[in-house]
């Protein structure tokens, strides 16, 4: 039965049988005359597509892709389209003059019946490449200034602006709650909160030059300039995450003791955390250098292989290892903030374990409480609490390995720390705000097929009702780009074998992860434990 379940899981992974955000629901060719699709919008019945090469606007039946009528573009370089409920709006990147590098953006209001121009205005960006209507204002993105701007449709006054998710934004649409933006260089599509410009969801675009975006009330549409295709894309579904890009991994986790003397090590104990199946990994096999003396399960459910040995004389080395074969995946979680439950929806067995305080977190400390108040304020939504704490650490900390691990208040006050210290601070602030939080630890594949890791990595998982445990990596999210920040909130790459899951303070692993050790020795003996992971080439 277990083999059958594994086979079914593999088939679903390999052939994409799960429905998920970003899945293609429908596809057809762009209109035959069109050679360079750009902006797109939906008028309640039809799609409208702008083409930069033909300088035309095409009204398309979304059921079959047929062009039902055409209008001339208001100028010579149309790049964005929007629908305000009655009229079309068209952004032109060159301000009505087809001159080389004449980036002087204009927006035109158009009568959809005959194409006549009803209003024209200069926009507050030089190169608008996407356009949308939010019910009151227009929005555009500028791929040269990497900017997202909301502006007044009467006179072009800027209402608010944010950095674009990545460096080459092209398409833009509004679904009534969120903005959606496509990026040509990353080949990705982003769901963005219009109040603060934060990227919430990231997924791969259907093809390699995503331009126009449109929202039809249920699905997202994307026009691609390279394939000359139009794609209808699934947005919300029952699947909470997607796994992709499977990769085979073979890694040996090695623990060593060396006794440099002059006395004996009287006993040595090595603890190796045992990995289990998770959304990001399927464990195929675990073997050991020798049979562990015992397998211990701690209060967090973490299993640890324990190797206990007697005397180790000076000049000798002792080794224990665990070999893991696994299939690793990229994981993308699709968390819609408005669908996250409240604190009352958190199961008691989770809150009782993962909201407690201890010496490493010290959640009642004034430093933690002050930071939490500054970060969260009056926010009630659990997603936005977690995201604001995440943003607060980005603004108030920088990565630096100090050696050793300090408590969360010490690290926050100091303003820098390792991945573990970012983790302790984030967990402390989440727990103080009512969000269950725990940490996971891993060994990391560092580029080469055969590589060694002795640095390792740790991050956080938070529990959000209706979505479950979500990975959040505050140290890796400490980046400038909104897209790169979002990729550390609900996303994992296939570079990790996760060995450890803990709320903190295990009787075997203590506050460590991957490995731990204890030894006794004669006085003035120098006994050195060491541990690392060797990744092997999988042929």
């Amino acid at each position: 039965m277990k083999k059958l379940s594994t086979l079914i899981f593999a088939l679903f992974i390999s052939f994409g049988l799960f429905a998920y955000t970003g899945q293609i629901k429908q596809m057809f060719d762009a209109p035959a005359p069109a050679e360079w699709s750009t902006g797109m919008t939906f008028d309640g019945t039809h799609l409208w597509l702008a083409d930069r090469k033909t300088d035309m606007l095409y009204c398309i039946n979304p059921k079959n892709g047929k062009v039902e009528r055409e209008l001339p573009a208001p100028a010579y370089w149309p790049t964005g389209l929007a629908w305000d409920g009655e009229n079309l709006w068209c952004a032109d990147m060159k301000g009505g003059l087809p001159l080389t590098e004449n980036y002087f953006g204009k927006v035109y209001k158009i009568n959809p019946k005959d194409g006549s121009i009803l209003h024209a205005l200069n926009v507050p960006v030089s190169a608008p490449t996407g356009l949308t209507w939010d019910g009151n204002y227009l929005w555009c993105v500028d791929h040269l200034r990497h900017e997202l701007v909301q502006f007044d449709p009467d006179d072009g006054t800027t209402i608010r602006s944010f950095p674009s998710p990545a460096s080459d934004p092209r398409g833009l649409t509004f679904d009534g709650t969120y903005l959606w933006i496509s990026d040509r260089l990353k080949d990705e599509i982003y769901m963005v909160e219009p109040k603060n410009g934060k990227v919430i969801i990231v997924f791969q675009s259907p093809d390699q030059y995503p331009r126009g975006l449109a929202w039809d009330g249920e699905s997202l549409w994307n026009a691609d300039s390279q394939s000359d295709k139009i794609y209808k894309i699934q947005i919300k579904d029952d699947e909470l995450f997607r796994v992709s890009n499977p990769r085979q991994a073979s890694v040996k986790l090695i623990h060593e003791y060396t006794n440099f003397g002059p006395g004996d090590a009287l006993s040595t104990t090595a603890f190796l955390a045992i990995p289990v199946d998770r959304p990001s990994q399927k464990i195929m096999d675990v073997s050991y250098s020798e049979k562990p003396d015992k397998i211990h399960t701690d209060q967090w459910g973490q299993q640890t292989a324990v190797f206990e040995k007697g005397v180790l004389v000076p000049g000798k080395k002792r080794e224990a290892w665990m070999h893991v074969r696994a299939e690793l995946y990229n994981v993308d979680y699709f968390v819609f903030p408005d669908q996250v439950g409240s604190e009352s929806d958190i199961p008691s067995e989770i809150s009782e374990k993962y909201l407690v305080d201890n010496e490493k977190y010290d959640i009642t400390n004034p430093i933690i409480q002050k930071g939490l108040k500054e970060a969260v304020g009056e926010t009630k939504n659990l997603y936005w609490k977690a995201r604001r704490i995440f943003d607060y650490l980005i603004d108030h900390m920088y990565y630096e390995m100090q050696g050793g691990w300090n408590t969360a208040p010490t690290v926050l006050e100091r303003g820098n720390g390792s991945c573990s210290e970012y983790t302790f601070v984030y967990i402390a602030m989440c727990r103080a705000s009512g969000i269950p939080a725990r940490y996971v630890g891993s060994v990391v594949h560092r580029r080469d097929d055969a590589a060694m890791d002795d640095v390792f990595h740790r991050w956080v998982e938070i529990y959000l009702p209706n979505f479950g445990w979500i990975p959040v990596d505050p140290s890796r999210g400490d980046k400038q780009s909104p897209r790169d920040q979002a990729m550390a909130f609900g996303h994992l790459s296939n570079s990790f074998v996760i060995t450890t899951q803990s709320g903190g303070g295990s009787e075997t692993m203590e506050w460590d992860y991957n490995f731990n050790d204890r030894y006794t020795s004669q006085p003035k003996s120098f006994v050195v434990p060491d541990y690392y992971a060797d990744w092997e080439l999988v042929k």
Side-chain angles (χ1 to χ4, degrees), residues 417-525:
S418 64
C419 66
S420 290
E421 291 175 313
Y422 270 81
T423 292
F424 296 151
V425 176
Y426 191 75
I427 290 176
M429 294 181 72
C430 281
R431 290 190 180 185
S433 71
I435 301 171
R438 66 190 185 193
Y439 62 77
V440 294
S442 69
V443 294
V444 187
H445 184 264
R446 301 186 185 275
R447 298 192 179 182
D448 297 312
D449 289 332
M452 190 268 284
D453 177 33
D454 63 349
V455 178
F456 317 128
H457 192 52
R458 172 160 32 188
W459 61 91
V460 182
E461 290 183 334
I462 59 171
Y463 186 85
L464 298 179
N466 300 331
F467 289 90
W469 290 101
I470 306 297
V472 180
D473 194 338
S475 64
R476 288 203 170 193
D478 199 349
K479 306 283 179 61
Q480 290 295 318
S481 161
R483 178 263 181 197
D484 291 345
Q485 292 174 7
M487 290 301 290
F489 201 107
H491 301 267
L492 284 179
S493 74
N494 61 4
S495 301
F496 308 102
V497 169
I498 299 170
T499 67
T500 311
Q501 174 184 297
S502 181
S506 163
E507 58 262 29
T508 51
M509 296 304 293
E510 300 178 79
W511 285 88
D512 220 319
Y513 60 103
N514 300 330
F515 307 90
N516 194 26
D517 44 67
R518 296 174 190 148
Y519 66 89
T520 62
S521 69
Q522 293 179 333
K524 299 180 181 178
S525 296

Side-chain angles (χ1 to χ4, degrees), residues 293-538:
D293 292 283
K294 59 184 174 181
I295 302 294
H296 178 83
T297 302
D298 68 13
Q299 70 268 40
W300 309 107
Q302 173 68 51
Q303 287 193 325
T304 306
V306 183
F307 299 86
E308 298 176 325
K309 299 297 178 182
V311 175
L312 181 63
V313 299
K316 293 297 183 179
K317 179 182 290 188
R318 178 172 290 156
E319 179 180 275
W321 53 256
M322 174 175 64
H323 182 243
V324 178
R325 290 192 307 108
E327 188 165 68
L328 309 180
Y329 313 101
N330 292 346
V331 182
D332 300 291
Y333 287 81
F334 308 120
V335 181
F336 293 84
D338 54 299
Q339 295 182 353
V340 173
S342 65
E343 290 186 35
S344 63
D345 298 316
I346 300 171
S348 58
E349 62 269 21
I350 289 176
S351 60
E352 288 169 3
K353 291 180 68 174
Y354 297 106
L355 285 177
V356 299
D357 196 8
N358 55 43
E359 70 276 11
K360 213 71 160 187
Y361 304 135
D362 195 7
I363 66 177
T364 60
N365 187 288
I367 295 170
I368 296 296
Q369 291 296 315
K370 178 177 179 291
L372 184 64
K373 185 176 180 180
E374 292 174 355
V376 172
E378 300 300 319
T379 304
K380 301 300 182 185
N381 180 279
L382 293 183
Y383 173 91
W384 285 114
K385 278 188 179 183
R387 190 62 188 270
R388 289 189 177 188
I389 295 169
F390 178 81
D391 295 338
Y392 185 83
L393 296 194
I394 291 173
D395 292 339
H396 289 80
M397 288 184 64
Y398 63 91
Y399 183 87
E400 184 175 36
M401 294 184 67
Q402 291 278 335
W405 300 326
N406 291 112
T407 64
T410 301
V411 174
L412 184 58
E413 185 175 44
R414 188 177 69 211
N416 59 17
S418 64
C419 66
S420 290
E421 291 175 313
Y422 270 81
T423 292
F424 296 151
V425 176
Y426 191 75
I427 290 176
M429 294 181 72
C430 281
R431 290 190 180 185
S433 71
I435 301 171
R438 66 190 185 193
Y439 62 77
V440 294
S442 69
V443 294
V444 187
H445 184 264
R446 301 186 185 275
R447 298 192 179 182
D448 297 312
D449 289 332
M452 190 268 284
D453 177 33
D454 63 349
V455 178
F456 317 128
H457 192 52
R458 172 160 32 188
W459 61 91
V460 182
E461 290 183 334
I462 59 171
Y463 186 85
L464 298 179
N466 300 331
F467 289 90
W469 290 101
I470 306 297
V472 180
D473 194 338
S475 64
R476 288 203 170 193
D478 199 349
K479 306 283 179 61
Q480 290 295 318
S481 161
R483 178 263 181 197
D484 291 345
Q485 292 174 7
M487 290 301 290
F489 201 107
H491 301 267
L492 284 179
S493 74
N494 61 4
S495 301
F496 308 102
V497 169
I498 299 170
T499 67
T500 311
Q501 174 184 297
S502 181
S506 163
E507 58 262 29
T508 51
M509 296 304 293
E510 300 178 79
W511 285 88
D512 220 319
Y513 60 103
N514 300 330
F515 307 90
N516 194 26
D517 44 67
R518 296 174 190 148
Y519 66 89
T520 62
S521 69
Q522 293 179 333
K524 299 180 181 178
S525 296
F526 188 36
V527 182
V528 179
D530 192 17
Y531 32 84
Y532 52 94
D534 277 337
W535 293 77
E536 302 168 347
L537 176 64
V538 180

Side-chain angles (χ1 to χ4, degrees), residues 4-18 327:
L4 179 60
S5 298
T6 301
L7 176 61
I8 292 172
F9 181 83
L11 288 171
F12 271 63
I13 296 297
S14 301
F15 296 101
L17 300 180
F18 290 117
E327 188 165 68

Side-chain angles (χ1 to χ4, degrees), residues 149-199:
V149 179
Q150 181 189 44
F151 62 97
D152 191 305
D154 294 325
D155 57 15
T157 301
T158 297
I159 306 301
R160 65 180 77 180
S161 65
F162 307 107
S164 63
S167 62
D168 200 353
R170 296 290 173 148
L172 177 65
T173 194
F174 182 65
D175 69 6
T177 303
Y178 302 107
L179 294 165
W180 295 85
I181 300 173
S182 63
D183 188 87
R184 167 210 175 189
L185 293 181
K186 291 290 186 182
D187 296 332
E188 292 173 336
I189 295 175
Y190 312 105
M191 187 178 87
V192 176
E193 167 57 58
K195 295 178 182 177
N196 54 30
K198 299 296 181 182
V199 176

Side-chain angles (χ1 to χ4, degrees), residues 95-172:
L97 295 174
L99 301 177
T100 301
E101 296 185 357
N102 179 60
Y103 299 125
F104 188 74
K106 292 183 74 73
V107 168
Y108 301 88
K109 184 177 182 180
I110 305 166
N111 185 327
K113 296 179 180 179
D114 58 14
S116 59
I117 297 172
L118 305 176
H119 181 49
L121 68 151
N122 297 328
V123 292
V125 300
S126 57
T129 48
L131 192 69
T132 195
W133 173 260
D134 68 7
N136 294 297
Y137 299 104
L138 288 167
W139 292 78
C140 67
V141 287
D142 185 318
H143 79 107
L144 296 180
R145 288 166 46 180
H146 322 309
E147 194 172 13
L148 168 66
V149 179
Q150 181 189 44
F151 62 97
D152 191 305
D154 294 325
D155 57 15
T157 301
T158 297
I159 306 301
R160 65 180 77 180
S161 65
F162 307 107
S164 63
S167 62
D168 200 353
R170 296 290 173 148
L172 177 65

